[in-house]
Amino acid sequence: MSKKIRIDKLLSNVGVGSRSEIKKYIKSNLVKVNDKIVKDSGLLVNPQSDFITFNQKEVNYKEFIYIMLNKPSGYLSATYDKKDKIVLDLIDKKYLSYEPFPVGRLDKDTEGLLILTNDGQLSHRVLSPKKHVPKTYFAKIDGKVGYEDIKAFGEGVVLDDGYKTMPSILKILKSDYISEIEITINEGKFHQVKRMFESVGKKVIYLKRISMGKLKLDETLKLGEYRELTEEEVKLLEER
Ligand code: URA
């Protein structure tokens, strides 16, 4: 059952205007619910079953928003910070009334696939280590990455705090003074990929997330660009 929501919040979520503009529209009798003029901007409505119009046009409301962002370096995966730029700074204001937050964190200097949503349950499922939703990263490593690293990561490595990681899959794309790899992990410990490489004596010099579940980063999105996910893509996020 869909929960009830204030009419002014609903209208601001779909981009009709700010809360104060919406108050004015309501005063001007422009908003109707089930063909009755709304007088109270705090009126609770059921978006699933109530027929809502603004200026005689039907308002289509969605409860959840799902955004794929190609995160650039230099932005925190946070919803607020006193001094640093945050990923929400990159998103059009019209989405902010949905109160989106990042699904998991990418480090400030990490790029790539970051999902922003207000769907707390989905976020929990995607991040839960029990669900084993894989996350794949492309990385450049200072030094040669070899078979011994594939083997170590496949067995799980011990991080600096004594935690032994779950098995992960390492694919070597280029082994040289600067190596290029893809790594797939099923958990998300703090700085996990960087710390895994530290545990085998190597340093990550560039990191980009390229997929979560079966959802791949849309490579047509330039750094800092974003778009809404389709319904199909939302499902792919949870697939293994
Ligand atoms: N692992 C890291 O070390 N950093 C990230 O941002 C993501 C995974």
Side-chain angles (χ1 to χ4, degrees):
M1 208 180 64
S2 172
K3 57 179 192 292
K4 290 200 166 190
I5 171 172
R6 285 174 64 113
I7 186 73
D8 55 355
K9 183 165 190 337
L10 181 148
L11 292 171
S12 98
N13 279 359
V14 296
V16 163
S18 66
R19 290 271 184 117
S20 61
E21 283 166 338
I22 288 161
K23 239 188 187 135
K24 280 186 211 146
Y25 299 147
I26 288 177
K27 269 205 174 127
S28 318
N29 296 340
L30 288 173
V31 179
K32 287 185 186 171
V33 173
N34 302 327
D35 259 349
K36 266 176 64 186
I37 291 173
V38 174
K39 293 284 176 203
D40 171 12
S41 50
L43 177 76
L44 291 175
V45 293
N46 183 333
Q48 299 296 313
S49 55
D50 288 327
F51 183 69
I52 299 155
T53 59
F54 167 64
N55 206 8
Q56 300 183 17
K57 283 197 199 89
E58 183 178 354
V59 171
N60 285 314
Y61 173 77
K62 49 188 176 211
E63 188 175 4
F64 295 123
I65 180 104
Y66 305 93
I67 292 169
M68 171 193 289
L69 168 70
N70 186 0
K71 178 192 172 297
S73 175
Y75 286 79
L76 291 185
S77 299
T79 50
Y80 171 78
D81 196 77
K82 265 196 205 144
K83 62 175 179 41
D84 274 315
K85 292 182 286 189
I86 58 169
V87 287
L88 293 185
D89 294 337
L90 296 161
I91 304 298
D92 191 295
K93 270 211 306 281
K94 74 175 182 195
Y95 291 113
L96 298 184
S97 54
Y98 283 93
E99 299 174 4
F101 54 84
V103 176
R105 283 166 186 263
L106 290 179
D107 296 338
K108 186 174 171 187
D109 62 353
T110 300
E111 295 181 351
L113 177 61
L114 187 68
I115 302 298
L116 301 168
T117 184
N118 55 347
D119 185 344
Q121 291 189 357
L122 173 121
S123 172
H124 183 75
R125 291 195 301 273
V126 169
L127 298 177
S128 163
K130 285 190 201 122
K131 300 269 180 191
H132 299 275
V133 172
K135 287 112 194 156
T136 301
Y137 295 83
F138 167 82
K140 290 188 186 174
I141 311 295
D142 188 6
K144 282 200 174 191
V145 178
Y147 177 71
E148 66 286 1
D149 301 312
I150 296 182
K151 194 160 169 286
F153 284 7
E155 286 164 2
V157 289
V158 178
L159 302 183
D160 47 9
D161 58 359
Y163 175 78
K164 182 160 190 234
T165 62
M166 286 159 64
S168 60
I169 300 167
L170 177 63
K171 202 163 114 185
I172 300 173
L173 306 175
K174 182 172 149 192
S175 181
D176 213 326
Y177 296 110
I178 304 280
S179 298
E180 294 183 3
I181 61 97
E182 275 180 22
I183 182 168
T184 301
I185 58 177
N186 296 304
E187 50 189 346
K189 300 284 168 218
F190 186 58
H191 297 326
Q192 179 154 347
V193 175
K194 291 174 186 162
R195 289 163 70 211
M196 285 176 74
F197 275 97
E198 271 163 29
S199 80
V200 293
K202 284 163 195 153
K203 189 168 163 46
V204 172
I205 52 175
Y206 172 79
L207 188 60
K208 171 185 180 183
R209 182 154 61 200
I210 54 175
S211 71
M212 286 175 89
K214 286 203 172 141
L215 180 70
K216 291 193 165 62
L217 175 67
D218 177 347
E219 295 283 353
T220 67
L221 293 174
K222 299 200 183 87
L223 283 171
E225 288 185 345
Y226 61 92
R227 66 166 172 81
E228 283 189 52
L229 294 183
T230 63
E231 275 178 37
E232 274 312 306
E233 287 175 325
V234 175
K235 288 187 198 134
L236 289 181
L237 250 182
E238 294 190 59
E239 281 180 22
R240 291 193 260 150

